[in-house]
Structure formats: C-alpha cells, structure tokens
Amino acid sequence: PQQLGAAGASVPTGSRGSLQPALRTLLAVPWPSQPDARSCLQLLAVLQWVLSFLLLGTLSLLLLIYLVFTSFWPISALYLAWVIFDWDTPERGGRRLPCLRRWPVWRHFRDYFPVKLVKTHDLSPGHNYIIGSHPHGILCVGAFCNFITGSTGFGDMFPGIRPFLTTLAGNFRLPVFREYLMSGGLCPVTRRAIGYLLSRNGTGNAVAIVIGGAAESLSCRPGVTTLILKKRKGFVRMALEHGASLVPSFSFGENDLFRQVVFEEGSWMRSVQRRFQKLMGFAPCVFYGRGLTSIQSRGFLPYPRPITTVVGEPVTVPKMENPSSETVDMYHEMYIRSLLKLFHDNKTKYGLSETDELHIL
C-alpha cells in the first residue's frame, strides 16, 4: 500500500520504517580508533612517496607526449620552453621550497618506520661539509627523511646548516619530477652541482652524498652491511678542492626495509644488472616489501623497521687547488677510519650485535 504525500507524491509506507534501522546500523559501525587512523595516515604518506619516486617522472613524460597529439599541445610546448630556460638551475643550487620541507605529511612518513636522527658532534655554520651517507639501501629512506624533509629535526640539531642531498643527474631530465626534487633540496650528483654549493653558495652548506650509489644497492639485504667505498674517492678530492669537512653518517636499519633477490657474482643476471647500471646509472634491483593490506602481504612498500641515522665527527681537510693522489688517499683513509669508529660505537645501540662487522669493498 502507498500513501499520498503532502505534494501529491506517492511515498512507500514502509520507507520511513526501513530508513531508521539503516541509520541505526550505520551509527553502530565502530569508528576507526586513533592508532588505526594514525597507521592509515602513515601508510598513505609512504605510499605517495614511493609512487612519486617510482612513477611521477615517467608518467609526467608520457602525459606531456600524449598532449602533443591533442588540442592541449600548448601545455607541452610551454613546459618544454620552461625546461630549456630552467635547464641549469639544478646545477646551481636548485630551487628549494621551505614549505615543502615542512609539509605535515613528512611527520607521518617519519613515524611509519620510525626514522630518527642522532647528533654526535656540532657542525659550525662557518664551514661547508660533505656528508657521506651509508648504506644506500634500496630507496635511501634514511637519507631522504633526515636531509630533505626536516621532520627529524635536522635544523634544530644543526642550526645554520642547510642540508642538500644528491641524486642521479638523469632524474632532473624528467618533467615535473625535477621540480619535485629541487623543491626539497635535492641536486645532481655532479662535480658542477656540488662545486657550486661548496664554493658559490656561502657557508653552512652540507651536501649529503650516498657514496655507494647504485652498485651498493645490488648487495642490499637484511643482516648484511657491505659498502662500496674503497675506490670511491671523488668526494674526498672535491672536499680538498673546496676545503669542505668530511662527515660520515650511517643509517642503521636501512637494509631491513626491503627483501631483495640477490644474484651471485658471475651469474648472467648479475651481469645484466651491472651492464644496465653502467648504461642507465641505476641498478634494476629485484626487490619486494609489504603490501597495502598487511605486513604479511607482498608489495612495493617498505617494511616498518626503525631507521636511526647517526651523524659522526667531521674530518677537517685543508683547501688545496690540485690535491695529489697521495693526499686524497690519506684523507680517504681518515674518512674510512672515522666511519668504522662511528659504526662500531653505535651498532649495539641500534639493532646490531657486537659481532656484526662493516664490510668495505
């Protein structure tokens, strides 16, 4: 049966009776607890970061190419003109935006793992520094969180110091992605870009370099700490040429964020990885982490494991226009000794045992 409403519309007599139980059922559904809401925000913060680094540049490039063949082609033309005009900006200190470094999402990103920064010595704003960041891991989470986001309190611990993080120069050739990188304080890992920050940007600059690079990522797996460092001496030469102090830093827990399929030296897959690395500048690692639904599922998100980045004591180096190979070797050895001391002094505090060693290749 139906009743005639005030406006003459026919309204089912049972609609009001069925609506009330539905509302009561909806209200009875438990709201997410505060810890659950925090966990969700942390997961979303990490998800956007991973997707940005893995897909933003490629998708932006494909979109701009697609627009060329549509009526929106002026967008691609204008952006291309902008990139040509702005081509050298990454090599001249970039274009960092303090508001992005203070973005609230980075606090959720930090708390997901969580990431912590530990200071052992002061850094004077009257000098410049090259910070060696170890190990590389898969995605350099510790280096990014501590030196780019500011969420772990770098500015408070080291007042007057402006941190920069270097990455592959090829990343700054990708549209939109280049703007994203520069806004946070990333710059290309080139002599020109690092030299600009150390000589033409005043003092108080700390340029973090992940020295092991792509080659080190191929050896990244939980329980093993192997650094590619013995033949990496270019950063020492640059420090001597600009009189910048060398500062070792180590991110404990970085290698525990992903599981990697490690191919043995001499295997054909390892050979493919090496050749790809030399050609493209980065290594095609076969890795996996957790999925979106649970830690037990597999996906591309890092596992929530604690990361503690310890910044060590600066190694003071003189300024020399053309340092000899012997001088470079001497300060390189001093840097390695300082890094080993940093590792052994802190390993038992942050998840490693007394017997764990740092292997340097």
Side-chain angles (χ1 to χ4, degrees), residues 302-313:
Y303 290 106
R305 304 284 188 266
I307 304 173
T308 303
T309 300
V310 185
V311 179
E313 181 179 5

Side-chain angles (χ1 to χ4, degrees), residues 93 128 164 187 192-202 205 207:
N128 286 324
F164 297 85
C187 63
R192 182 183 175 192
I194 298 171
Y196 180 94
L197 293 172
L198 297 178
S199 63
R200 301 177 62 184
N201 200 43
N205 301 291
V207 183

